Amino acid sequence: MKYWRQEFGTINGQTVWQHWLENSQGYQLAVIDYGATITNLVMPDKAGQFKNVVIGYDNLADYLKQEAYFGATVGRVAGRIGKGAFTLDGHDYQLLPLNNGENTNHGGPNSFESQVWQASVEEQADAISVTFKLTSPDGANGFPGNLSVATTYTLNEKNEWLVDYQATSDQTTLFNPTCHVYLNLTGDFDQLVDGHQLQIDSDRFGEIQPDGLPTGQLLPVDQTVFDLRQPRAIADAFASQETQNKLVNGYDHPFLLNKNADRNDAVLTEPTSGRSLTINTEGNAIVIYTANGFGSEPNLTDKAIQPHEAVAIEAQMMPDAIHHADFGNVILKANEQYHRQTCYKLN
């Protein structure tokens, strides 16, 4: 195992470091202090050619310009919270400012993704971990509680990339983080992800409104392009005439996981290169976002970023769970210890 770091830029006088982890088989993971963000995941294809397979930039300035959460740790709460309002222990809370129409998305503006985290490194013979720590103050965007958060990224000799979240709060609050990494297993960000094969062990997906907020209905995947229980080309979602796909021009939906002990939660494969990721998470859901549109994000290559050039696989609890009893628990009680892990097996 190897570890090194290099300066990535400065923000408000603070140096932002890029941390590189490499195992003996040549797999690499690079992460930066800004947003506890993954910038590179380097994997070989079946011919042994190594390429970066996640959307990322080689400079901090471009990260400051983009608003697509490329590779970032997202929180306090991933996904939308309806009306940015909720009730905890008899107290009503209103999150402000709202940043997704009438709703809050990904914790509100200037949340985890735009903070400089404090990094520490642990090196072992068969694994290297970088832990990023952050304190989110009581009242940040309206959330209660001083929240202490740690995000740990590990690369090991089993070709596993692990994401661990730990947190405590001095008041009862909401917490549902995710890793907002965008994948294109071809390693060529001028190619679309149409040909990627996606499999998710899920019988039901969350119906969404036109603004992306879950309606609260869990719909059966049977006889729809949301049936990913067997590998399916992502292109099917782009061609679909189903109302839910046409709303977003692909997928931007949560899938409630079956959590079968003998099945993986999700597998993403790119047949031409032979690269694949197998994903297992302690959360109850995976949100699939097929990069259906971009704003003014800087180019990845000499061409402008196009829709469907990547797919985000966001392991988390169901979005807007605070308003839907069967979506799972995202309440973090005061002084309770939070821990959740997602494992990505790199093949």
Side-chain angles (χ1 to χ4, degrees):
M1 300 291 302
K2 298 178 184 176
Y3 166 79
W4 68 98
R5 72 173 189 173
Q6 58 196 40
E7 287 194 30
F8 199 72
T10 59
I11 181 170
N12 298 325
Q14 285 184 280
T15 299
V16 172
W17 295 94
Q18 184 177 47
H19 307 265
W20 284 88
L21 291 62
E22 181 177 354
N23 70 13
S24 63
Q25 294 151 84
Y27 289 78
Q28 294 180 336
L29 182 70
V31 292
I32 58 171
D33 304 337
Y34 180 77
T37 294
I38 296 163
T39 61
N40 298 77
L41 177 62
V42 179
M43 298 173 58
D45 64 9
K46 57 190 176 185
Q49 183 178 10
F50 284 83
K51 285 188 176 181
N52 174 41
V53 298
V54 302
I55 287 185
Y57 297 110
D58 60 6
N59 65 89
L60 181 61
D62 282 347
Y63 278 99
L64 298 178
K65 294 173 187 174
Q66 61 87 31
E67 297 181 352
Y69 302 90
F70 289 151
T73 296
V74 167
R76 297 186 183 191
V77 176
R80 293 162 179 84
I81 298 175
K83 309 296 185 185
F86 55 91
T87 300
L88 286 177
D89 294 340
H91 297 283
D92 295 331
Y93 295 95
Q94 178 62 61
L95 304 178
L96 291 172
L98 302 177
N99 66 332
N100 185 250
E102 296 183 342
N103 309 313
T104 298
N105 192 35
H106 292 335
N110 300 314
S111 294
F112 288 2
E113 81 289 344
S114 57
Q115 307 301 312
V116 178
W117 299 52
Q118 298 301 308
S120 60
V121 180
E122 181 180 355
E123 298 184 60
Q124 299 177 343
D126 60 352
I128 299 177
S129 300
V130 181
T131 296
F132 296 100
K133 292 185 177 180
L134 179 74
T135 299
S136 177
D138 179 33
N141 285 344
F143 286 100
N146 293 295
L147 181 73
S148 297
V149 185
T151 299
T152 300
Y153 297 120
T154 301
L155 180 67
N156 64 30
E157 289 288 12
K158 298 177 184 178
N159 296 336
E160 292 172 336
W161 155 42
L162 307 176
V163 182
D164 285 271
Y165 301 108
Q166 292 180 286
T168 59
S169 173
D170 61 2
Q171 298 179 50
T172 298
T173 192
L174 302 185
F175 191 56
N176 182 26
T178 194
C179 174
H180 208 299
V181 68
Y182 289 75
L183 295 151
N184 184 326
L185 297 183
T186 69
D188 179 355
F189 292 99
D190 288 327
Q191 289 196 44
L192 305 183
V193 293
D194 304 50
H196 284 54
Q197 300 276 327
L198 181 60
Q199 183 174 359
I200 301 178
D201 184 29
S202 171
D203 295 336
R204 295 180 295 168
F205 73 98
E207 180 185 53
I208 60 170
Q209 301 173 176
D211 62 1
L213 182 72
T215 66
Q217 295 296 312
L218 291 169
L219 303 181
V221 301
D222 302 86
Q223 300 181 351
T224 74
V225 298
F226 293 90
D227 190 350
L228 300 169
R229 291 171 294 190
Q230 298 298 321
R232 185 179 205 123
I234 291 177
D236 288 356
F238 305 149
S240 170
Q241 296 303 301
E242 294 177 31
T243 300
Q244 283 290 296
N245 298 114
K246 292 178 71 176
L247 271 180
V248 293
N249 189 27
Y251 295 124
D252 190 4
H253 294 79
F255 290 78
L256 185 67
L257 297 170
N258 292 332
K259 307 307 291 185
N260 289 314
D262 59 344
R263 298 197 67 185
N264 294 308
D265 290 332
V267 181
L268 180 69
T269 303
E270 202 288 299
T272 302
S273 68
R275 295 186 180 98
S276 71
L277 284 174
T278 300
I279 300 143
N280 288 290
T281 182
E282 293 175 345
N284 73 350
I286 286 178
V287 174
I288 300 298
Y289 175 55
T290 48
N292 304 316
F294 293 105
S296 57
E297 277 68 35
N299 294 357
L300 298 167
T301 65
D302 59 356
K303 300 177 184 177
I305 302 177
Q306 298 298 315
H308 304 156
E309 287 188 352
V311 56
I313 301 178
E314 306 163 49
Q316 57 180 81
M317 299 298 286
M318 288 285 290
D320 203 32
I322 189 60
H323 293 133
H324 307 289
D326 53 352
F327 276 22
N329 179 34
V330 295
I331 298 172
L332 178 61
K333 294 288 189 180
N335 303 313
E336 185 177 75
Q337 298 289 325
Y338 177 98
H339 179 252
R340 192 173 81 220
Q341 183 183 85
T342 299
C343 176
Y344 299 80
K345 176 68 173 177
L346 313 175
N347 300 304

